[in-house]
Amino acid sequence: FATALALPFALFAAFPGWLNTLPKSGGWLNSVKVVLGFLELALAMKFLSNVDLAYHWGFLKRELFIAIWVTIFGLMSLYLLGKLKFSHDSDLPYIGTGRIIFAIIATAFTLYLIPGLWGAPLRMISGFPPPEFYKEWIQETGKDEHGGGSCPHNLNCYHDYEAGMAYAKSINKPVMIDFTGWSCVNCRKMEENVWTEPEVTKYITENFILVSLYVDDKEKLPVAERFSYKQLDGNMKEIVTVGDKWATFQSENFKQVTQPLYVILDTKERLVNNPVGYTPDFKEYLKWLTCGKSNFMKQ
């Protein structure tokens, strides 16, 4: 948002002669404002979705989000083609080349979104809609081991570290901790573009106990589980929400605060290889998984 506001000033400061080439304000400028207004609405839905996920309100599921975006970009297409007019718009005697190009882009994007209403993956915008398991009409089979039903791509997972580790010890398997966030774009990209690769999905399923910990989860902990924690820097931190608990667990034990962060531990809670973050190359990520399992077997 700041970049969009500052960019025109930076460009005209660097190239002042461009100011003389600008057409006078009029209908074209109002069209720019309307198009930016459509984009602002689309982004507002994204940020509202982040809040809905973090607080578990459950009203802006993936299908509804995509339907709203289809409506917004569909209306933008109609506006650019002159089929929709607002009170401050000038008459449009003809449609210029630039306007047609933007209309084609908006229309193509709208058509791209539509299959997502019925569960089609939308990899081009992964990270912006709610995750694929956050659906109303189409349910994933992957289950949270505590009944939450919120694990991506048919993977079984825990959302509690202690429970996941206890189960891993009982069957002698390594734990893969997925430090993630509801509003984390790169986390969704990993889930939708890397974890969906059959080799990766199979390897995680067969070789690890997956523990997904959401560091921005706003659900309140039971009163008996809330506490004050003295951090390494000496400051006190109030642990009130689920996200507080897992964010502190990540930063204090692994000295990193970014998401996603993937950590593999053995049954004695020791690192078996170096943690990794966002790794868009699935072959590189699979190599890291294989290394972790191999090191676990050696121990």
Side-chain angles (χ1 to χ4, degrees), residues 75-120:
L75 290 174
M76 183 194 294
S77 303
L78 293 175
Y79 176 78
L80 289 167
L81 292 171
K83 303 299 183 182
L84 182 65
K85 184 178 179 182
F86 294 98
S87 58
H88 294 287
D89 286 321
S90 304
D91 292 330
L92 194 65
Y94 66 92
I95 301 175
T97 303
R99 192 162 179 147
I100 289 176
I101 291 173
F102 282 110
I104 291 173
I105 293 172
T107 302
F109 186 62
T110 303
L111 295 174
Y112 172 78
L113 291 172
I114 289 174
L117 293 169
W118 290 275

Coordinates of all heavy atoms in Angstrom, one line a residue, residues 75-120:
L75 N -17.1 -7.6 -12.0 CA -17.6 -6.2 -12.2 C -16.6 -5.3 -12.7 O -16.9 -4.3 -13.5 CB -18.1 -5.7 -10.8 CG -19.4 -6.4 -10.2 CD1 -19.6 -5.9 -8.8 CD2 -20.6 -6.0 -11.1
M76 N -15.3 -5.5 -12.3 CA -14.2 -4.7 -12.9 C -14.1 -4.8 -14.4 O -13.9 -3.9 -15.1 CB -12.9 -5.0 -12.2 CG -11.7 -4.2 -12.7 SD -10.1 -4.8 -12.3 CE -10.1 -4.7 -10.5
S77 N -14.3 -6.1 -14.9 CA -14.3 -6.3 -16.3 C -15.4 -5.6 -17.0 O -15.2 -5.0 -18.1 CB -14.4 -7.8 -16.6 OG -13.4 -8.6 -15.9
L78 N -16.6 -5.7 -16.4 CA -17.7 -5.0 -17.0 C -17.5 -3.5 -17.1 O -17.9 -2.8 -18.0 CB -19.0 -5.3 -16.3 CG -19.5 -6.8 -16.4 CD1 -20.7 -7.0 -15.5 CD2 -19.9 -7.1 -17.8
Y79 N -16.9 -3.0 -16.0 CA -16.6 -1.5 -15.9 C -15.6 -1.1 -17.0 O -15.8 -0.1 -17.7 CB -16.1 -1.2 -14.5 CG -15.7 0.3 -14.4 CD1 -16.7 1.3 -14.2 CD2 -14.4 0.7 -14.5 CE1 -16.4 2.6 -14.1 CE2 -14.1 2.0 -14.4 CZ -15.1 3.0 -14.2 OH -14.7 4.3 -14.1
L80 N -14.6 -1.9 -17.1 CA -13.6 -1.5 -18.1 C -14.1 -1.6 -19.5 O -13.6 -0.9 -20.4 CB -12.3 -2.4 -18.0 CG -11.5 -2.2 -16.7 CD1 -10.5 -3.3 -16.5 CD2 -10.8 -0.9 -16.8
L81 N -15.1 -2.5 -19.8 CA -15.7 -2.6 -21.1 C -16.8 -1.6 -21.3 O -17.4 -1.6 -22.4 CB -16.2 -4.0 -21.3 CG -15.1 -5.1 -21.4 CD1 -15.8 -6.5 -21.3 CD2 -14.3 -5.0 -22.6
G82 N -17.1 -0.8 -20.3 CA -18.1 0.2 -20.5 C -19.5 -0.2 -20.2 O -20.5 0.5 -20.5
K83 N -19.7 -1.4 -19.7 CA -21.0 -2.0 -19.4 C -21.5 -1.6 -18.1 O -22.7 -1.8 -17.7 CB -21.0 -3.5 -19.5 CG -20.4 -4.0 -20.9 CD -21.3 -3.6 -22.0 CE -20.8 -4.2 -23.3 NZ -21.7 -3.7 -24.5
L84 N -20.7 -1.0 -17.3 CA -21.0 -0.6 -15.9 C -20.5 0.8 -15.7 O -19.4 1.1 -16.0 CB -20.4 -1.5 -14.9 CG -20.7 -1.2 -13.4 CD1 -22.2 -1.4 -13.1 CD2 -19.9 -2.2 -12.5
K85 N -21.4 1.7 -15.3 CA -21.0 3.1 -15.2 C -21.4 3.7 -13.8 O -22.5 3.4 -13.3 CB -21.7 3.9 -16.3 CG -21.3 5.4 -16.4 CD -22.0 6.1 -17.6 CE -21.6 7.6 -17.6 NZ -22.3 8.3 -18.7
F86 N -20.6 4.6 -13.2 CA -20.8 5.2 -12.0 C -21.1 6.7 -12.2 O -20.9 7.2 -13.3 CB -19.7 5.0 -11.0 CG -19.5 3.6 -10.6 CD1 -18.5 2.8 -11.2 CD2 -20.3 3.0 -9.6 CE1 -18.3 1.4 -10.8 CE2 -20.1 1.7 -9.2 CZ -19.1 0.9 -9.8
S87 N -21.6 7.3 -11.1 CA -22.2 8.7 -11.3 C -21.1 9.7 -11.7 O -21.4 10.7 -12.4 CB -22.8 9.1 -10.0 OG -21.8 9.1 -8.9
H88 N -19.8 9.5 -11.4 CA -18.8 10.5 -11.7 C -18.1 10.2 -13.0 O -17.2 10.9 -13.4 CB -17.8 10.6 -10.6 CG -18.3 11.1 -9.3 ND1 -18.6 12.5 -9.2 CD2 -18.7 10.6 -8.1 CE1 -19.1 12.7 -8.0 NE2 -19.1 11.5 -7.3
D89 N -18.5 9.1 -13.7 CA -17.9 8.7 -14.9 C -18.3 9.6 -16.1 O -19.5 9.9 -16.2 CB -18.2 7.2 -15.3 CG -17.4 6.3 -14.4 OD1 -16.2 6.6 -14.1 OD2 -18.0 5.2 -14.0
S90 N -17.4 9.9 -17.0 CA -17.7 10.6 -18.2 C -18.3 9.6 -19.2 O -18.1 8.4 -19.1 CB -16.5 11.3 -18.8 OG -15.9 12.2 -17.8
D91 N -18.9 10.1 -20.3 CA -19.4 9.2 -21.3 C -18.2 8.6 -22.0 O -17.1 9.2 -22.1 CB -20.2 10.0 -22.4 CG -21.5 10.5 -21.8 OD1 -22.1 9.8 -20.9 OD2 -22.0 11.6 -22.2
L92 N -18.3 7.4 -22.5 CA -17.2 6.6 -23.1 C -17.6 6.4 -24.5 O -18.2 5.4 -24.9 CB -17.1 5.3 -22.3 CG -15.8 4.5 -22.6 CD1 -14.6 5.3 -22.0 CD2 -15.9 3.2 -21.9
P93 N -17.1 7.3 -25.4 CA -17.4 7.2 -26.8 C -16.8 6.0 -27.5 O -17.3 5.4 -28.4 CB -16.9 8.5 -27.4 CG -15.8 9.0 -26.5 CD -16.3 8.5 -25.1
Y94 N -15.6 5.6 -27.0 CA -14.9 4.4 -27.5 C -14.0 3.8 -26.4 O -13.8 4.5 -25.4 CB -14.1 4.8 -28.7 CG -12.9 5.7 -28.4 CD1 -11.7 5.2 -28.1 CD2 -13.1 7.1 -28.4 CE1 -10.6 6.0 -27.8 CE2 -12.1 7.9 -28.1 CZ -10.8 7.4 -27.8 OH -9.8 8.3 -27.6
I95 N -13.6 2.6 -26.6 CA -12.8 2.0 -25.6 C -11.3 1.9 -26.1 O -11.1 1.3 -27.2 CB -13.2 0.5 -25.3 CG1 -14.7 0.6 -24.7 CG2 -12.3 -0.2 -24.3 CD1 -15.3 -0.8 -24.5
G96 N -10.4 2.5 -25.4 CA -9.0 2.6 -25.9 C -8.3 1.3 -25.7 O -8.8 0.3 -25.1
T97 N -7.2 1.2 -26.4 CA -6.4 0.0 -26.4 C -6.0 -0.5 -24.9 O -6.1 -1.6 -24.6 CB -5.1 0.1 -27.2 OG1 -5.5 0.5 -28.5 CG2 -4.3 -1.2 -27.3
G98 N -5.5 0.5 -24.2 CA -5.1 0.2 -22.8 C -6.2 -0.3 -22.0 O -6.0 -1.3 -21.2
R99 N -7.4 0.3 -22.1 CA -8.5 -0.2 -21.4 C -9.0 -1.6 -21.8 O -9.3 -2.4 -20.9 CB -9.7 0.8 -21.6 CG -10.8 0.6 -20.6 CD -11.7 1.8 -20.6 NE -12.9 1.6 -19.7 CZ -13.4 2.6 -18.9 NH1 -12.9 3.8 -19.0 NH2 -14.4 2.3 -18.2
I100 N -8.9 -1.9 -23.0 CA -9.2 -3.2 -23.5 C -8.2 -4.3 -22.9 O -8.6 -5.4 -22.5 CB -9.2 -3.3 -25.1 CG1 -10.4 -2.5 -25.6 CG2 -9.2 -4.7 -25.6 CD1 -10.4 -2.4 -27.1
I101 N -7.0 -3.9 -22.9 CA -6.0 -4.8 -22.4 C -6.2 -5.2 -20.9 O -6.2 -6.3 -20.5 CB -4.5 -4.3 -22.5 CG1 -4.1 -4.2 -24.0 CG2 -3.5 -5.1 -21.7 CD1 -2.8 -3.5 -24.3
F102 N -6.5 -4.1 -20.1 CA -6.8 -4.4 -18.7 C -8.2 -5.1 -18.5 O -8.3 -6.0 -17.6 CB -6.9 -3.0 -18.0 CG -5.6 -2.4 -17.6 CD1 -5.1 -1.3 -18.2 CD2 -4.7 -3.1 -16.7 CE1 -3.9 -0.8 -18.0 CE2 -3.5 -2.5 -16.4 CZ -3.1 -1.4 -17.0
A103 N -9.1 -4.9 -19.4 CA -10.4 -5.6 -19.4 C -10.1 -7.1 -19.7 O -10.7 -8.0 -19.0 CB -11.4 -5.1 -20.4
I104 N -9.3 -7.4 -20.6 CA -9.0 -8.8 -21.0 C -8.3 -9.5 -19.8 O -8.6 -10.6 -19.4 CB -8.1 -8.9 -22.2 CG1 -8.9 -8.4 -23.5 CG2 -7.5 -10.3 -22.4 CD1 -8.0 -8.3 -24.7
I105 N -7.4 -8.8 -19.2 CA -6.7 -9.4 -18.0 C -7.7 -9.6 -16.9 O -7.6 -10.7 -16.3 CB -5.6 -8.4 -17.5 CG1 -4.4 -8.3 -18.5 CG2 -5.0 -8.9 -16.2 CD1 -3.4 -7.2 -18.2
A106 N -8.5 -8.7 -16.6 CA -9.5 -8.9 -15.5 C -10.5 -10.0 -15.8 O -10.8 -10.8 -14.9 CB -10.3 -7.6 -15.3
T107 N -10.9 -10.1 -17.1 CA -11.8 -11.2 -17.5 C -11.2 -12.5 -17.4 O -11.8 -13.5 -16.9 CB -12.3 -10.9 -18.9 OG1 -13.0 -9.6 -19.0 CG2 -13.3 -12.0 -19.3
A108 N -9.9 -12.6 -17.9 CA -9.2 -13.9 -17.8 C -9.0 -14.3 -16.4 O -9.1 -15.5 -16.0 CB -7.8 -13.7 -18.5
F109 N -8.7 -13.4 -15.5 CA -8.5 -13.7 -14.1 C -9.8 -14.2 -13.4 O -9.8 -15.1 -12.6 CB -8.0 -12.5 -13.3 CG -7.6 -12.8 -11.9 CD1 -6.6 -13.7 -11.6 CD2 -8.2 -12.1 -10.8 CE1 -6.3 -14.0 -10.3 CE2 -7.9 -12.4 -9.5 CZ -6.9 -13.3 -9.2
T110 N -10.9 -13.5 -13.8 CA -12.2 -14.0 -13.3 C -12.5 -15.4 -13.7 O -13.0 -16.2 -12.9 CB -13.3 -13.0 -13.8 OG1 -13.0 -11.7 -13.5 CG2 -14.7 -13.4 -13.3
L111 N -12.3 -15.7 -15.0 CA -12.5 -17.1 -15.5 C -11.6 -18.1 -14.8 O -12.0 -19.2 -14.6 CB -12.3 -17.1 -17.0 CG -13.3 -16.3 -17.8 CD1 -13.0 -16.3 -19.3 CD2 -14.8 -16.8 -17.6
Y112 N -10.4 -17.6 -14.5 CA -9.4 -18.5 -13.8 C -9.9 -18.9 -12.4 O -9.8 -20.0 -11.9 CB -8.1 -17.8 -13.7 CG -7.1 -18.6 -12.9 CD1 -6.4 -19.7 -13.3 CD2 -6.8 -18.1 -11.6 CE1 -5.5 -20.4 -12.5 CE2 -5.9 -18.8 -10.8 CZ -5.2 -19.9 -11.2 OH -4.3 -20.6 -10.4
L113 N -10.6 -17.9 -11.8 CA -11.1 -18.1 -10.4 C -12.3 -19.1 -10.3 O -12.4 -19.8 -9.3 CB -11.5 -16.8 -9.8 CG -10.3 -15.8 -9.4 CD1 -11.0 -14.5 -9.0 CD2 -9.4 -16.3 -8.3
I114 N -13.1 -19.1 -11.3 CA -14.4 -19.8 -11.2 C -14.3 -21.3 -10.9 O -15.0 -21.8 -10.0 CB -15.2 -19.6 -12.5 CG1 -15.7 -18.1 -12.6 CG2 -16.4 -20.5 -12.6 CD1 -16.4 -17.7 -13.9
P115 N -13.4 -22.0 -11.5 CA -13.2 -23.5 -11.1 C -12.9 -23.6 -9.6 O -13.2 -24.7 -9.1 CB -12.1 -24.0 -12.0 CG -12.1 -23.1 -13.2 CD -12.5 -21.7 -12.7
G116 N -12.3 -22.6 -9.0 CA -12.0 -22.7 -7.6 C -13.2 -22.9 -6.7 O -13.1 -23.3 -5.6
L117 N -14.3 -22.4 -7.2 CA -15.6 -22.6 -6.5 C -15.9 -24.0 -6.2 O -16.6 -24.4 -5.3 CB -16.7 -21.9 -7.2 CG -16.6 -20.4 -7.3 CD1 -17.7 -19.8 -8.3 CD2 -16.8 -19.7 -5.9
W118 N -15.4 -24.9 -7.1 CA -15.7 -26.3 -7.0 C -14.5 -27.1 -6.6 O -14.4 -28.3 -6.9 CB -16.3 -26.8 -8.3 CG -17.7 -26.3 -8.5 CD1 -18.9 -26.8 -8.0 CD2 -18.1 -25.1 -9.2 NE1 -19.9 -26.0 -8.4 CE2 -19.5 -25.0 -9.1 CE3 -17.3 -24.2 -9.9 CZ2 -20.1 -23.9 -9.7 CZ3 -18.0 -23.1 -10.5 CH2 -19.4 -23.0 -10.4
G119 N -13.5 -26.5 -6.0 CA -12.4 -27.2 -5.4 C -11.2 -27.3 -6.3 O -10.2 -27.9 -5.9
A120 N -11.2 -26.6 -7.4 CA -9.9 -26.7 -8.3 C -8.8 -25.9 -7.6 O -9.1 -24.8 -7.0 CB -10.2 -26.0 -9.6

